[in-house]
Amino acid sequence: MEKQRVMIVEDDADLAEGICLSLGGAELEFLLCSTIAEARKAAEREHIDLFILDINLPDGSGLELCRELRRQR
């Protein structure tokens, strides 16, 4: 079975790790990003099945990133 890819965009490393641990399972693979710029680059390179976005990030709004990603997909 192919793993589902989950991108977590969260600037708090401990919180991001906690989300991975809470959701973790053999069927999921996580990609952690701490900024919108990093997430944009990764989203261009990788197929992502689910995005989990922090709203307040150092370089912008997770809500705006969500809108951007929805327009692209």
Side-chain angles (χ1 to χ4, degrees), residues 4-10 19 23 28-33 35-55 57 62-73:
Q4 299 292 301
R5 305 230 343 134
V6 179
M7 179 186 288
I8 299 174
V9 185
E10 171 58 64
I19 294 169
L23 298 177
L28 298 177
E29 182 177 337
F30 294 97
L31 176 61
L32 303 179
C33 298
T35 65
I36 290 175
E38 187 180 343
R40 281 184 182 130
K41 288 179 188 175
E44 289 174 6
R45 296 188 314 264
E46 307 282 342
H47 170 78
I48 306 296
D49 296 296
L50 175 68
F51 293 88
I52 299 176
L53 307 172
D54 184 6
I55 292 176
L57 292 156
L63 291 175
E64 186 55 40
L65 177 60
C66 180
R67 289 182 191 104
E68 180 182 322
L69 291 167
R70 288 185 66 162
R71 283 191 300 267
Q72 295 173 359
R73 296 179 187 271

